[in-house]
Structures are given as C-alpha cells and as structure tokens.
C-alpha cells in the first residue's frame, strides 16, 4: 500500500499545496490525478510564496519525481508560463517532472467555449475559472479530445484543426470576440516547449515505482464538494476530485492505497457560484475573509466565507474513506470570541436533518449551530500541540468526536514551518 492520497474535503482551497509540500520529503513521487489550471495551490517557505496551477507541489524538491497523470487536463500555454516562473529558483523540472501521454490537452478554443457557455448561462453561471476545464473534459468523454501523446504525431496539426473546426462551429452561435491566430501562435510555441519534457506511459512509470517499494503521494485538486458526482451539482468542476479519481487518474489499483488524508479549513470557503448553507453575510463573514486573506489563488476573486459544516464534512469523509484529518487555518479563527459549528439543517416546516442533501438549496436549509468558546489569542510561534490554547484543543476534540477520524495536523499559518504535527502515525 504505497500510495497515499491528499484530498480537499470542502469546496477547494483547503491548503493542499502547503501540506503536499510539508509531507513531500516522506515520498519519492508526487502525482496530480485530476483537474488542471483551475487549481491554485499555494506553498510558502523561506519567505517566498509560490502558487502552482498544474505542476505538482513536490517540484521544489529535486529528489522527488513529479507526475502529471492521465486524469489531468493540461493547458500548455499556462504550463510554459509556470515553468518559466520557476527558472529563478534553480530547479530542473525537465529532469523531475513527467507528463502522462494520456493527459488531455486544453486548446485555446476550450477556453473560449468555457467563456461562451458561462455567458450563455447568465445568472445561473457556475462561476467557472474560465480555464477551459469543462469543455476539455466534455471532449474527453465524447472521445474527440487531444492527448499529450498526440503532440509528437506527424498528424497532430490535422487532429488539432479537426477539433477546432468543431469548436468554431459552436462558437458561431455565441457572441464572443476572439483572434484565433494570435492564440494559436502562443499555443504552438507552448507545444514545442512541452516536447522538451519526458512524456511517459505514466501508469507503468507509477506502478513500477510502487513495485520497487517507493512511496507516492497523490495530490488532489479542488475539493469533494466540487466533485462531478458527489458535489453540489451542477455547481461543481468536471472531474472526480474524490479518492476514486486517484485510481482512474493515475492507473493505480485501490489495493495500492494506504492513507487517505482529508484536509479541511477550520471554517468554510467557496469561490464561484453555488449553494453554501453556512455562508455568512454579516461582519463575521467579512472579518473571516479579511483575516484569512480569502482571495482565489487562480482568479483573485474574493472567497465566500462561513462556519464549518459538519454534515458536509462527514459526507466527504465517507465518500473518500478518510483515515486522517488535517485542520488548516486555525489561526484565522483566533479573532472570534465564539465559534459556531453547523451540526445539521432545519428544513421549512421545522424538520431537521444531518445529511448532505440531494439538492443543496440554501433557502431551504437553515443551519443548526453548536457554539463553542473561541481562544481569542494569537497562535504565532506555537509549534507544539500541547502549547495551543485549551479552547482550540476543545474545538479539535469536539470535531474528532463528531467526525470519528483523528485530526493529526493543525495548521496555524501559511508557512511550511507553521504546521503542528500532532501525531506521528503518518506514513
Ligand atoms: P489549495 O488550493 O488547497 O492548495 O489552497 P490555496 O493555496 O488555494 O488556499 C489556501 C490559502 O491559505 C493559501 O493562501 C495558503 O498560503 C494559506 N494557508 C494555508 N494554511 C494556512 C494556515 O494554517 N493559516 C493561514 N493563515 N493561512 C494558511
Ligand atoms: P484548488 O485546487 C476552489 C470552482 C470554480 C467554480 C467551479 C467550476 O485550488 O482547490 P471550473 O473552472 O473547474 O469549471 O470551475 O469550481 N473551482 C475551484 N474553487 N479551488 C479550486 O481549486 C477550484 N477549481 C475550480 O470557482 O465554482
Ligand atoms: Mg486553491
């Protein structure tokens, strides 16, 4: 069981990048299995903040192999920019970054289609990151997509134009301005750049690695509540963000999976549209947003904020088979005298429920809150669990009792060092 999974349990942005970077030295491979440039994973160390979109968060460690798996959708233009931004850090990604030939390619018209579909939806828009994620996965499922392995084919341009012709026929029905030639010039330059990287049969590469006894960390993107099957549909992303996505997105069998690390913020955030039962529209929400610097790492949009939602968290734990929990951003809650935790919902007519419903409609779900004392002191400089304020330890204990899974990491700041490892039961 040499593969461990790190999965976001909420609506994304739980702090996956920070934790992958923190855990990376215990692994010899970090692999992304779904999503694409919609992700924005932040890592902070040595006083520098890095945001990665498509590159796995093990890239800053030269001895770690990083894999972009078959389940990912890759935008070569964004990829080139990301790699170029790393140049100043003396890394050698051409040696430790491997890309599956089966990874789907995002072409410029996928991005245009994303924008066109969102515009057509008007007020019902998903709030997509406009990176072309939905249209690219749509083409994958329709069996017309382009894969990274295609770029070395002498027929690549032919295949590309065939796909783009289809896209342009759809775009004719939408009012959207674009200059395809300009976008294509950048795209083909990026394709040439992409060819300089090892393009591999990643399922063999990863399984050989596992069979040699080496350890793999699969880095999830987005979060369980954005999963295409189990999230707050239709306000979701277009991939399986939950543990099953790691098997299909990397070609690893379920019996190879060991630990499933579930990561959650001590409160909740969401960026983009869609239901959010515990969302705060008052000054508490504003303070949480300000204190947590809650702005999207990919789009810069302000993130909506609210209290922790236990029915949603329990649902995510169940779907993923979480074995250990990591709680992030505990420091942000230091500003509150009282902290609320949603334990269930009250429906119109007074009926109570504690499951995450088929259709999440905010107006129909009034959160039922359990209130606890806050700790109200700065956590700066605390590096041992025992030294944390008692009210925070009470919060952790209460959550563990409710969730029935141990919380083994409490994160108290964005830096790699601001991570309190409560128990060494990790891999
Ligand atoms: P990801 O997409 O799950 O990797 O998360 P993001 O990087 O999009 O968003 C998490 C944000 O919270 C980033 O700005 C991190 O630097 C920051 N962060 C992570 N852990 C902590 C923490 O414990 N405390 C605080 N204050 N910030 C944190
Ligand atoms: P990370 O990996 C937070 C949201 C978008 C939108 C919906 C669909 O950083 O946690 P898409 O572009 O995927 O079609 O958008 O999903 N979304 C994210 N929200 N963090 C992310 O990634 C997200 N990736 C997509 O805001 O509501
Ligand atoms: Mg993010």
């Amino acid at each position: 069981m040499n593969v461990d999974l790190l999965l976001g349990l909420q609506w994304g942005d739980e702090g996956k990048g920070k934790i992958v970077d923190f855990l990376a030295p215990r692994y010899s491979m970090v692999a992304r299995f779904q999503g694409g440039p919609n992700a924005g994973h932040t890592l902070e160390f040595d006083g520098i903040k890095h945001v990665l979109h498509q590159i796995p968060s093990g890239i800053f460690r030269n001895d770690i192999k990083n894999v972009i798996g078959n389940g990912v959708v890759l935008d070569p233009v964004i990829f080139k920019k990301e790699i170029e931004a790393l140049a100043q850090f003396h890394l050698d990604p051409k040696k430790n970054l491997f890309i599956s030939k089966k990874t789907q390619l995002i072409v410029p018209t996928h991005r245009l289609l994303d924008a066109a579909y969102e515009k057509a939806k008007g007020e019902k828009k998903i709030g997509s990151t406009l990176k072309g994620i939905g249209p690219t996965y749509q083409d994958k499922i329709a069996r017309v997509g382009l894969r990274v392995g295609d770029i070395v084919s002498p027929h690549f341009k032919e295949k590309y134009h065939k796909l783009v012709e289809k896209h342009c026929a759809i775009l004719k029905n939408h009012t959207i301005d674009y200059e395809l030639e300009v976008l294509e010039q950048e795209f083909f330059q990026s394709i040439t750049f992409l060819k300089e990287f090892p393009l591999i049969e990643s399922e063999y590469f990863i399984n050989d690695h596992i069979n040699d006894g080496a350890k793999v960390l699969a880095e999830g993107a987005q979060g369980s509540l954005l999963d295409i099957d189990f999230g707050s549909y239709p306000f979701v992303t277009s991939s399986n963000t939950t543990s099953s996505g790691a098997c299909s997105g990397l070609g690893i069998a379920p019996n190879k999976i060991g630990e499933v690390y579930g990561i959650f913020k001590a409160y909740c955030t969401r960026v983009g549209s869609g239901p959010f039962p515990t969302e705060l529209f008052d000054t508490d929400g504003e303070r949480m947003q300000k204190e947590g610097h809650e702005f999207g790492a990919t789009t810069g949009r302000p993130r909506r904020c609210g209290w922790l939602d236990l029915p949603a968290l329990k649902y995510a734990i169940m779907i993923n088979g979480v074995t250990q929990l990591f709680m992030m951003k505990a420091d942000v809650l230091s500003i509150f005298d009282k902290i609320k935790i949603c334990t269930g919902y009250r429906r119109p007519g007074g009926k109570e429920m504690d499951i995450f419903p088929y259709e999440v409609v905010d107006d129909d779900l009034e959160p039922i809150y359990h209130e606890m004392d806050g700790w109200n002191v700065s956590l700066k400089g605390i590096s041992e669990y025992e030294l944390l304020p008692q009210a925070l330890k009470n919060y952790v204990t209460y959550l563990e009792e409710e969730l029935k899974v141990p919380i083994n990491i409490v994160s108290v700041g964005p830096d790699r060092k601001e991570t309190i490892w409560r128990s060494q039961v990790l891999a």
Side-chain angles (χ1 to χ4, degrees):
M1 297 200 289
N2 279 7
V3 184
D4 296 333
L5 314 183
L6 186 281
L7 306 169
L9 301 181
Q10 295 161 319
W11 281 289
D13 304 329
E14 296 87 353
K16 299 174 289 292
K18 167 179 166 160
I19 289 296
V20 172
D21 170 63
F22 175 78
L23 294 179
R26 309 175 74 81
Y27 296 87
S28 51
M29 182 181 282
V30 174
R32 281 277 308 268
F33 58 88
Q34 46 69 232
N38 48 351
H41 293 183
T42 314
L43 294 74
E44 247 184 83
F45 52 87
D46 301 336
I48 305 178
K49 176 172 158 174
H50 307 270
V51 181
L52 297 173
H53 300 286
Q54 308 179 104
I55 299 173
S57 300
I59 199 69
F60 292 97
R61 320 249 187 189
N62 280 325
D63 52 341
I64 289 180
K65 294 185 171 74
N66 290 272
V67 177
I68 297 181
N70 57 280
V72 170
V73 289
L74 183 82
D75 185 327
V77 176
I78 296 176
F79 177 77
K80 183 167 179 279
K81 288 184 186 150
E82 278 196 86
I83 295 285
E84 286 168 352
L86 292 179
Q88 52 175 313
F89 301 108
H90 310 295
L91 305 171
D92 200 358
K94 284 179 192 155
K95 289 223 173 74
N96 72 337
L97 176 57
F98 303 83
I99 305 166
S100 171
K101 287 187 191 166
K102 294 193 169 89
T103 301
Q104 294 277 325
L105 274 181
I106 301 179
V107 302
T109 40
H110 281 132
R111 269 183 273 136
L112 296 172
L113 285 171
D114 204 356
Y117 294 151
E118 281 286 79
K119 198 170 166 199
K121 284 195 175 96
E123 284 196 348
K124 295 210 164 83
K125 71 174 184 187
I126 309 290
S128 143
T129 57
L130 302 180
K131 302 292 177 195
I133 307 296
T136 309
Y137 277 118
Q138 241 176 307
D139 279 348
K140 173 181 180 175
I141 302 302
R143 299 164 292 187
V144 296
L146 286 176
R147 299 186 294 175
V148 164
D150 292 331
I151 67 175
V152 292
S153 155
H155 305 294
F156 177 61
K157 283 215 165 160
E158 216 176 289
K159 285 184 178 180
Y160 167 84
H161 286 297
K162 203 167 154 204
L163 182 66
V164 169
E165 238 173 69
K166 277 195 189 65
H167 292 166
C168 289
I170 303 170
L171 287 167
K172 268 194 199 136
N173 302 319
H174 293 266
T175 47
I176 180 152
D177 295 329
Y178 59 93
E179 276 187 77
L180 195 52
E181 300 82 64
V182 178
L183 297 172
E184 284 184 335
Q185 201 182 3
E186 198 183 27
F187 176 74
F188 283 108
Q189 275 168 4
S190 308
I191 290 292
T192 307
F193 181 78
L194 187 58
K195 283 184 190 163
E196 294 169 22
F197 285 79
L199 311 180
I200 59 162
E201 320 274 343
S202 57
E203 56 278 39
Y204 282 109
F205 187 72
I206 297 170
N207 279 292
D208 286 350
H209 193 77
I210 296 169
N211 293 337
D212 287 345
K215 297 223 50 153
V216 178
L217 180 62
E219 174 179 359
Q222 291 79 54
S224 302
L225 305 179
L226 289 171
D227 182 276
I228 183 72
D229 282 280
F230 301 107
S232 47
Y233 193 87
F235 299 99
V236 293
T237 190
S238 299
S239 64
N240 280 118
T241 59
T242 41
S243 38
S244 60
C247 295
S248 57
L250 293 175
I252 48 165
N255 63 353
K256 299 284 188 328
I257 294 173
E259 298 293 328
V260 181
Y261 307 131
I263 172 167
F264 69 102
K265 280 181 189 167
Y267 50 97
C268 269
T269 64
R270 173 162 208 168
V271 61
S273 331
F276 182 175
T278 61
E279 182 169 9
L280 290 167
F281 299 96
D282 56 8
T283 48
D284 280 352
E286 278 167 31
R287 291 175 68 212
M288 214 180 259
Q289 205 239 349
K290 196 161 168 235
E291 187 67 15
H293 305 288
E294 295 294 358
F295 292 93
T298 297
T299 58
R301 291 177 292 179
R303 295 178 185 142
R304 301 151 61 191
C305 295
W307 298 114
L308 192 62
D309 183 334
L310 285 187
L313 199 50
K314 286 178 185 171
Y315 181 70
I317 289 170
M318 173 182 80
I319 299 293
N320 291 307
V322 172
T323 59
Q324 303 189 39
L325 286 164
F326 303 158
M327 187 175 87
M328 311 301 288
K329 303 192 97 161
D331 54 307
V332 175
L333 293 188
S334 298
I335 56 171
F336 294 106
D337 295 331
K338 295 280 178 194
I339 291 172
K340 288 183 184 169
I341 305 160
C342 167
T343 55
Y345 315 111
R346 197 170 289 113
R347 302 212 88 151
K351 201 163 173 259
E352 293 184 4
M353 63 191 289
D354 62 1
I355 63 160
F356 196 64
Y358 164 72
E359 200 158 25
V360 188
V361 181
D362 288 346
D363 289 347
D364 286 354
L365 296 176
E366 183 203 334
I368 302 165
Y369 287 116
H370 171 75
E371 194 174 82
M372 294 185 76
D373 286 336
W375 39 98
N376 232 230
V377 288
S378 164
L379 306 179
K380 202 94 202 138
I382 303 181
S383 57
E384 279 176 51
Y385 186 77
E386 287 316 314
L387 300 178
L388 287 172
Q390 189 56 44
L392 171 51
K393 288 191 274 190
N394 293 345
Y395 188 67
V396 171
T397 306
Y398 173 80
L399 294 181
E400 284 184 321
E401 278 167 7
E402 283 289 321
L403 301 169
K404 316 242 179 316
V405 182
I407 298 177
N408 284 338
I409 285 179
V410 176
S411 175
V412 293
D415 194 89
R416 194 189 264 173
K417 292 201 186 99
E418 292 171 306
T419 313
I420 299 179
W421 202 320
R422 206 177 147 206
S423 156
Q424 294 283 348
V425 289
L426 288 164

